[in-house]
Amino acid sequence: MNVHLINPSHVSFGTSVITPRWLYVLAAATPASFGDPILVDETLSPVDPSRIQRGDVVGIGVHTGNALRGYEIGRLARERGAYVVFGGIHATLYPEEAQSLGHAHAVVKGDGDLVWATVLEDCRRGVPGSIYSGGRVEASDFVPARWDLVPRDRYMWASVQTVRGCPKHCSFCSVWRTDGQRPRQGATDSVIEEIVQLRRLGFRYVALADDNFYPVTLTDLQLASRRGDTDRLEALKTMRAQRFDLMARLAQLPSDSVFFTQITMEAAEDPAFLDAMRQANIKGALVGVESVTPEGLKDIYKDFNLAGQGLVDRLRKFQSHGIHVLGSFIFGLPSDRPETFQATAEVAQRAGLTFAQFLTLTPFPGTVDFGRWEKMMERDPRRIEGIPLTRHWLIPQGHRPKIFSPHPLMSAEEIRRRTQSVWERFYSLGFIWRRSRFLKSMRGRLTFILISKIYRQMYADTGIATDSARIARSARWARWLAKPCRYLFSGRPMPELQVPERIPFDVSARFQQIEGGCHAK
Ligand code: SF4
């Protein structure tokens, strides 16, 4: 009896950017008595059905974007006589769908770290349950990934996770509802051990695949202090101190290590945090800018962000602390106007972003936006290939609309076209060349162009293009470019690398500035 873990994708690139962490975490959560699981990441190459045998267990992790392909694999695995188990955010939200369309024997809701062993034992006994509740596992129980199983030569970046959950409540995001608003921070020992293991294998680039790397803001501390809520204040301080502890240990790793994470823009107001990030070699962060107008930010409950010149200044602060920003923007918000696209492109350029992504507003299940939209669509009888729009992830990829919510001023096609033109402008050769100025050598600048182009091919054209010929062409290009790109990211294996010790540091010094800020108010 073999255990297969499959990460579905409708497009394979041969080489991929980031390791799908869940595969390696569930591999580690698989008891030794089942042997090493067979891991399949379809962003590399499609699953080979002939490897699935009667009585095997096939675990398929799905988010909304790859659920349809996941269901295809589920049906195929069940036809071959395997036990089919679904997990991931989408299966957590729609377990019945995984059962009816993906032919699942069982669905794991929530985190799989602890419950996976029970699922496997039940399958071995031939009595899988239909639903398993994994819940939200506490940080102390996070399972470190099994990196000894990773095909080293196929990925540019590895991924570790240091915190799950996000205290914010953006209307387009499901993280705070699925992973919770209470940040669950992992112990630094196991995170550092994983990173050292990855570096021993030659991974120099590691994504800190966190929901929000900055779970405690200075404002949170000031508010707790002003309210005289000492318990809350102490808890926040501890969480913040753990962040600094982690970064102090990252800073002891080889200096050519590069980390990347996701963070809220409020970190720009926290120079001590940004400095610690730089020292830790966290050289880049995805920052959810979303909109450049105050109305747009209000639309999505993200008014803790700034707009206009304040936004540009905040984003530049990351840059002035040596942290490159991948800015993420959303188009199609109710308050967007035709001129918003141009204004966004200009802000992205003025703010000194190193990379940017321009997404169209998509109501994803589990979000506040989706709930509202689903209600509004009750009166809309439109279907594509017999599927209502409110189940857009079930529409075959080539026919899936790119824009879902009717906009008061612009047609869906206009939003898509304008979005595409912002991608084209931001990633035009001239602009990329100008952005590459931070690099000294010609080789570095050419590498930057290559990486920018591949990023655009992988994420723009395969995401928002409508015609399937263009999507296929982009995938081919990305596949072709990805291979040489991977060599640029690889490092020399360092089998001798030791786990850095924890350095005691003066926590109180980190808080002087916060308390001064509180008193000042
Ligand atoms: S978009 Fe980012 S900040 Fe907002 S809830 Fe999601 S993870 Fe948190």
Side-chain angles (χ1 to χ4, degrees):
M1 171 191 186
N2 281 319
V3 176
H4 306 253
L5 296 169
I6 302 176
N7 187 46
S9 173
H10 68 280
V11 51
S12 305
F13 294 104
T15 299
S16 193
V17 180
I18 300 184
T19 50
R21 182 174 169 77
W22 78 266
L23 280 185
Y24 300 94
V25 169
L26 276 207
T30 302
S33 62
F34 290 89
D36 286 349
I38 297 165
L39 307 183
V40 179
D41 176 7
E42 286 201 304
T43 66
L44 299 177
S45 43
V47 66
D48 173 2
S50 68
R51 295 193 73 185
I52 301 172
Q53 302 298 327
R54 178 162 297 281
D56 286 357
V57 179
V58 175
I60 304 165
V62 286
H63 51 79
T64 300
N66 67 359
L68 191 60
R69 172 64 188 152
Y71 297 154
E72 261 180 65
I73 299 169
R75 291 195 294 270
L76 182 153
R78 185 128 183 187
E79 268 166 29
R80 295 191 62 82
Y83 290 109
V84 175
V85 185
F86 274 82
I89 291 182
H90 194 81
T92 298
L93 293 165
Y94 294 97
E96 311 77 21
E97 196 180 276
Q99 283 160 341
S100 59
L101 299 178
H103 293 191
H105 289 87
V107 175
V108 175
K109 295 173 72 173
D111 295 336
D113 306 44
L114 300 182
V115 82
W116 179 238
T118 310
V119 177
L120 289 177
E121 282 303 338
D122 289 353
C123 290
R124 177 142 66 186
R125 291 188 298 114
V127 286
S130 59
I131 300 282
Y132 293 83
S133 291
R136 290 178 189 151
V137 166
E138 284 304 324
S140 54
D141 290 324
F142 290 174
V143 172
R146 265 196 72 183
W147 294 117
D148 58 310
L149 299 177
V150 73
R152 171 64 201 98
D153 55 345
R154 309 287 293 276
Y155 294 100
M156 300 179 206
W157 291 72
S159 51
V160 300
Q161 194 173 36
T162 74
V163 58
R164 290 184 202 172
C166 175
K168 306 296 185 195
H169 57 271
C170 305
S171 67
F172 59 89
C173 175
S174 61
V175 160
W176 57 281
R177 291 176 133 195
T178 51
D179 279 352
Q181 286 185 286
R182 179 174 63 85
R184 291 170 284 148
Q185 267 185 195
T188 60
D189 283 345
S190 62
V191 172
I192 294 290
E193 276 160 22
E194 269 195 57
I195 292 172
V196 167
Q197 192 193 353
L198 286 164
R199 189 59 212 259
R200 285 178 186 147
L201 295 170
F203 277 106
R204 197 156 73 80
Y205 287 76
V206 177
L208 307 177
D210 299 326
D211 295 327
N212 176 2
F213 189 77
Y214 186 61
V216 179
T217 68
L218 293 182
T219 309
D220 295 334
L221 288 154
Q222 286 161 357
L223 289 174
S225 170
R226 214 180 298 161
R227 281 198 308 268
D229 186 345
T230 45
D231 289 349
R232 168 96 179 130
L233 185 60
E234 280 316 305
L236 291 174
K237 281 183 172 182
T238 303
M239 230 188 288
R240 180 173 163 90
Q242 285 169 343
R243 295 278 87 182
F244 279 99
D245 176 48
L246 172 68
M247 291 190 280
R249 297 184 79 187
L250 291 179
Q252 294 176 65
L253 292 169
S255 59
D256 63 349
S257 306
V258 177
F259 300 100
F260 178 87
T261 193
Q262 308 195 73
I263 203 163
T264 52
M265 211 192 292
E266 297 148 303
E269 307 303 321
D270 192 343
F273 199 88
L274 293 186
D275 285 341
M277 281 176 72
R278 193 194 53 234
Q279 283 156 18
N281 289 313
I282 302 175
K283 296 199 173 147
L286 185 150
V287 177
V289 182
E290 327 304 0
S291 172
V292 301
T293 68
E295 299 78 25
L297 294 171
K298 214 175 207 139
D299 285 341
I300 51 171
Y301 302 176
K302 200 152 185 172
D303 24 21
F304 57 88
N305 270 5
L306 295 183
Q309 188 55 39
L311 165 64
V312 171
D313 294 342
R314 256 191 178 183
L315 289 171
R316 282 203 164 273
K317 276 192 197 156
F318 285 97
Q319 199 193 36
S320 66
H321 283 80
I323 296 160
H324 296 279
V325 173
L326 190 174
S328 182
F329 299 85
I330 301 177
F331 288 129
L333 303 176
S335 59
D336 280 355
R337 302 282 170 271
E339 54 274 19
T340 309
F341 295 82
Q342 172 75 5
T344 303
E346 274 162 20
V347 165
Q349 200 61 31
R350 267 198 302 137
L353 302 184
T354 310
F355 293 97
Q357 61 182 25
F358 307 96
L359 313 173
T360 48
L361 185 62
T362 303
F364 280 113
T367 65
V368 170
D369 284 350
F370 185 86
R372 261 198 242 128
W373 178 70
E374 194 178 32
K375 189 134 201 56
M376 185 188 83
M377 293 294 285
E378 277 170 3
R379 293 183 300 278
D380 190 327
R382 259 180 310 159
R383 288 175 172 252
I384 296 177
E385 304 221 343
I387 297 158
L389 278 189
T390 50
R391 294 295 174 271
H392 52 80
W393 55 90
L394 300 179
I395 299 170
Q397 199 75 29
H399 301 155
R400 210 174 281 177
K402 304 293 171 191
I403 314 281
F404 298 93
S405 307
H407 192 274
L409 284 183
M410 292 175 280
S411 69
E413 178 50 23
E414 182 178 358
I415 295 172
R416 192 199 65 77
R417 201 170 25 79
R418 287 184 184 276
T419 303
Q420 183 119 21
S421 76
V422 176
W423 274 99
E424 267 152 32
R425 184 182 152 146
F426 190 82
Y427 288 98
S428 66
L429 206 50
F431 276 131
I432 300 176
W433 180 250
R434 226 181 290 167
R435 282 198 295 278
S436 72
R437 273 187 304 226
F438 71 94
L439 290 157
K440 301 283 171 292
S441 69
M442 179 58 80
R443 185 170 181 266
R445 293 184 81 171
L446 292 174
T447 303
F448 181 76
I449 291 175
L450 180 66
I451 292 168
S452 298
K453 286 289 184 192
I454 194 171
Y455 182 80
R456 189 225 135 121
Q457 293 290 342
M458 275 185 167
Y459 294 99
D461 277 357
T462 55
I464 60 167
T466 44
D467 93 78
S468 52
R470 183 170 184 158
I471 293 171
R473 204 168 46 243
S474 284
R476 265 201 311 277
W477 264 100
R479 212 171 289 134
W480 188 77
L481 286 171
K483 211 161 183 190
C485 226
R486 200 199 61 72
Y487 291 107
L488 299 169
F489 284 90
S490 63
R492 180 176 62 84
M494 298 178 128
E496 73 294 345
L497 186 67
Q498 296 301 307
V499 177
E501 292 298 315
R502 175 175 280 132
I503 312 172
F505 63 93
D506 181 6
V507 176
S508 60
R510 301 278 186 199
F511 295 105
Q512 276 164 9
Q513 177 199 0
I514 300 157
E515 286 169 351
C518 286
H519 296 312
K521 290 201 172 189

